[in-house]
Amino acid sequence: MKVLVAAEDSGSLKDISFPFGTNTSIQQSAQPTITTFASAGRSSYVQRMIIAKLKSGKEYICIARKGGIIQLYDINPPHALFVEWKDMMHPPDDAFVGLEYVEGKLSSCTATGKLVMRDLHSISDSTNHYYTLLGEPINAFRVHPNQPNVVAYGGKERELEVSVIDNLYRREPDSNADSESDQSSSWCIAATPTGRALSRRKLWKAKNVKNDELDLRVPVWISDIRFLDVNRDSTSDFKLVVSTRFGHVRVYETKYSRKPIVNVEVGDHPLIALSPYTSDTEIIYCDTNSTTARFNVINGRKGGHYSGAAGSILCLDSFFPDQESVSSTISTSDDSNSRESSRQSSMARTASGDVPLLATGGLDRFLRVYNLQTRELVAKVFVGTKLSAVCIVDGSSTVPSEPLSERESDEEDDRVTTDGGRKRRKALKTEDEDDEEDSVADEDASKKGRKKRVRLHDEEASDDDDEDDIDDVWNLLDVEGDEPRIKKEEDEDKVASSSSAHESVAQSSRRRRKRGPRAESSR
């Protein structure tokens, strides 16, 4: 399989290829192939990364760097830079909070609320971007997977909002257009009298939950947003799930209420990101305490955990066997036909051995890949740097018969793998063997000496016995000070017997004294 990760320390991208069952914590395991490219330094590290696939089959790595730079790289080695945009320069404290690619439109949003849409069907056109201001602050941004004109956003002390871009509309494809040129699209952006601005209309806004048990207002801080039930054909009825920095997962139905229909506090730690599951009834979430788990959006219950991480999880990415045919490819046919073809493609790929996957990365500098359904760890790769973004490019591989044991891999993490460490271990092993041999020899000698001492003790002492044999006899009798224990115990017994005899004599004399007056009175 093939996974792309973004290194925050060096600002580079890493292309990692490895089979299922890889565990770099074990020396005998298969080692991955890592290719590093697009290094730009920590001051321009990658904040967001996605994969965009055009209709002609061309795939690009879309990244958003700190400082307002958006770049497109070829997904195949040597990963050449295709295009770069620097017209989104913003203050250093600003950051990208969203990067989405839907129906040929690349949407990026910053924390200050600047939304820019680009038409990737006309990359060479310098005027292919359109922008609008959503207001600040914004910490989460998401575009509807099937309707690029619907956007959702929220942030710190800013409730969830859903807006519609009016001058982005669907049109019929041009039959005379060349498919290889990627000039035809089912969605287009119309010009406005104000220039290249987007006409935005607020469609729906959430309302905060009721006060807590102390009648205090519940704070709002949205960290991520996901659309649910994306195949719902509606322009005003949407289902969304959000995570908050206060440990809440909330589900909204725009048709029924402005307040969440499900509001559950899943933990005491801030939630970082959300990732889709194989069905719309569950969602994957992660927090700052190394927790990655499932959450049921219907009954509000927490599901199984994806264990093994140490430290905060900063990025998630889910891979599905039909991902290429559903979420990336630009379709110009009828929706029902495209859904049917994608379903058939999914069944074919699943039968060939592909399974849904989940990739995680964070502070512990490990890339972990799980089976999304069984929660088994299928790969673990040490990257050597803190990960800021992760994306699964290809998930095709053979599933191992036995998944990795996270406990064994963690034990292997503590071992030193350098040459010097191996030499030190060898030296320590040699010393241990020598010590063990010495201890065995001493033990044998002590046994022999003990047998000899027993024989000397059983035999009668003769004048020919030397002082060493006498010392052995006293050592056998556990000498305490200058006298043996046996002699000491005999002396103690004599003292005890004499004291008991004196005590008995004293008692009998006392009894005779007491009986004396009584006897005289009776007479």
Side-chain angles (χ1 to χ4, degrees):
M1 63 180 303
K2 184 178 180 180
V3 181
L4 287 172
V5 298
E8 182 175 340
D9 298 339
S10 61
S12 61
L13 298 178
K14 294 180 181 293
D15 185 346
I16 307 176
S17 300
F18 52 90
F20 278 15
T22 300
N23 188 358
T24 56
S25 301
I26 301 177
Q27 189 175 4
Q28 294 77 13
S29 175
Q31 299 300 314
T33 301
I34 303 178
T35 303
T36 304
F37 63 98
S39 299
R42 186 180 180 87
S43 59
S44 299
Y45 73 93
V46 178
Q47 295 176 331
R48 301 285 172 174
M49 178 175 60
I50 59 172
I51 302 297
K53 184 176 181 180
L54 302 184
K55 179 183 176 182
S56 61
K58 298 178 182 178
E59 288 185 328
Y60 298 99
I61 307 171
C62 301
I63 61 175
R65 294 184 178 273
K66 181 181 179 181
I69 302 175
I70 297 179
Q71 295 175 332
L72 268 66
Y73 287 89
D74 191 357
I75 199 171
N76 299 317
H79 304 289
L81 177 62
F82 185 72
V83 68
E84 181 181 34
W85 293 292
K86 294 184 178 180
D87 52 357
M88 282 194 65
M89 297 300 294
H90 47 265
D93 56 346
D94 199 0
F96 283 99
V97 296
L99 185 66
E100 298 287 315
Y101 176 75
V102 179
E103 296 290 345
K105 304 299 181 292
L106 181 64
S107 304
S108 59
C109 183
T110 65
T112 56
K114 185 177 181 180
L115 170 62
V116 177
M117 284 190 177
R118 302 179 187 275
D119 191 355
L120 294 191
H121 294 283
S122 57
I123 296 178
S124 59
D125 187 5
S126 60
T127 60
N128 65 339
H129 65 280
Y130 303 84
Y131 64 90
T132 185
L133 297 177
L134 303 177
E136 58 180 337
I138 292 180
N139 296 103
F141 173 82
R142 193 69 60 182
V143 179
H144 194 282
N146 293 335
Q147 302 180 39
N149 62 333
V150 179
V151 295
Y153 47 91
K156 186 176 182 179
E157 296 303 334
R158 186 169 184 181
E159 281 289 356
L160 176 65
E161 296 183 22
V162 179
S163 297
V164 177
I165 309 299
D166 290 328
N167 55 335
L168 177 61
Y169 60 95
R170 187 192 298 269
R171 70 177 181 182
E172 294 297 330
D174 188 3
S175 59
N176 297 326
D178 187 7
S179 60
E180 296 295 331
S181 62
D182 288 331
Q183 296 297 324
S184 61
S185 175
S186 58
W187 291 83
C188 65
I189 303 177
T192 58
T194 58
R196 312 202 67 80
L198 295 174
S199 177
R200 178 176 62 91
R201 174 172 51 91
K202 185 185 298 184
L203 182 65
W204 177 87
K205 184 177 180 179
K207 189 177 181 181
N208 196 7
V209 297
K210 64 179 181 179
N211 295 348
D212 58 10
E213 60 275 7
L214 300 177
D215 199 21
L216 299 176
R217 176 183 174 275
V218 178
V220 176
W221 194 346
I222 298 176
S223 60
D224 201 1
I225 306 169
R226 287 286 177 178
F227 280 91
L228 300 176
D229 197 7
V230 296
N231 293 326
R232 182 183 303 180
D233 189 8
S234 175
T235 58
S236 60
D237 183 12
F238 303 102
K239 186 176 182 180
L240 304 96
V241 57
V242 302
S243 61
T244 71
R245 299 284 296 184
F246 298 101
H248 294 90
V249 176
R250 296 171 179 171
V251 183
Y252 294 90
E253 283 272 9
T254 61
K255 181 179 179 180
Y256 300 107
S257 174
R258 294 176 57 189
K259 289 188 176 182
I261 59 176
V262 176
N263 180 30
V264 178
E265 184 177 357
V266 296
D268 299 331
H269 301 276
L271 303 185
I272 300 295
L274 297 174
S275 185
Y277 190 64
T278 53
S279 62
D280 285 337
T281 59
E282 291 184 305
I283 198 77
I284 309 295
Y285 71 88
C286 65
D287 62 9
T288 59
N289 193 35
S290 71
T291 300
T292 305
R294 293 203 302 254
F295 178 80
N296 193 306
V297 300
I298 303 299
N299 53 27
R301 295 181 180 178
K302 293 186 291 184
H305 287 234
Y306 298 83
S307 60
S312 175
I313 300 296
L314 302 179
C315 49
L316 295 175
D317 185 57
S318 299
F319 175 84
F320 303 100
D322 58 340
Q323 180 179 4
E324 298 179 359
S325 60
V326 173
S327 62
S328 298
T329 304
I330 301 174
S331 175
T332 58
S333 60
D334 184 69
D335 293 340
S336 60
N337 296 333
S338 62
R339 293 171 189 167
E340 184 65 25
S341 62
S342 64
R343 189 180 299 108
Q344 294 176 359
S345 175
S346 172
M347 294 174 61
R349 293 195 61 186
T350 304
S352 64
D354 289 344
V355 294
L357 303 172
L358 175 68
T360 65
L363 295 180
D364 61 352
R365 293 169 169 81
F366 272 95
L367 167 67
R368 290 179 173 85
V369 182
Y370 301 88
N371 187 319
L372 193 60
Q373 294 177 330
T374 62
R375 308 195 313 276
E376 296 173 348
L377 181 66
V378 298
K380 178 182 177 182
V381 178
F382 180 71
V383 183
T385 180
K386 185 170 68 172
L387 305 182
S388 59
V390 61
C391 186
I392 301 178
V393 179
D394 184 13
S396 59
S397 183
T398 303
V399 181
S401 57
E402 295 183 0
L404 298 179
S405 174
E406 189 65 28
R407 181 177 301 175
E408 295 178 358
S409 62
D410 290 340
E411 292 176 356
E412 293 291 340
D413 290 345
D414 299 334
R415 300 182 181 178
V416 182
T417 58
T418 61
D419 295 339
R422 284 193 288 268
K423 292 180 180 179
R424 288 194 298 272
R425 287 201 305 271
K426 185 180 293 185
L428 292 175
K429 185 177 179 181
T430 305
E431 293 178 0
D432 294 340
E433 291 178 353
D434 296 340
D435 295 340
E436 185 177 358
E437 292 176 358
D438 295 340
S439 62
V440 172
D442 295 340
E443 185 177 357
D444 295 339
S446 63
K447 290 181 179 178
K448 293 179 180 179
R450 189 177 298 112
K451 292 180 181 179
K452 183 178 180 181
R453 289 193 295 270
V454 171
R455 287 198 298 270
L456 291 173
H457 180 66
D458 293 340
E459 295 174 358
E460 294 182 358
S462 62
D463 298 336
D464 297 334
D465 294 335
D466 54 1
E467 296 180 356
D468 295 336
D469 295 339
I470 296 173
D471 293 338
D472 292 338
V473 173
W474 292 121
N475 289 333
L476 178 64
L477 298 176
D478 192 9
V479 177
E480 292 183 1
D482 295 331
E483 296 181 355
R485 179 183 297 175
I486 295 177
K487 184 178 180 181
K488 186 176 180 180
E489 291 177 353
E490 291 176 355
D491 296 338
E492 291 176 355
D493 294 336
K494 290 179 180 179
V495 172
S497 60
S498 61
S499 62
S500 60
H502 288 298
E503 182 68 23
S504 60
V505 171
Q507 290 180 358
S508 60
S509 63
R510 284 196 296 270
R511 285 196 295 270
R512 284 196 299 271
R513 293 193 195 99
K514 292 180 180 180
R515 284 200 301 268
R518 293 178 183 175
E520 292 177 357
S521 61
S522 61
R523 290 176 185 176

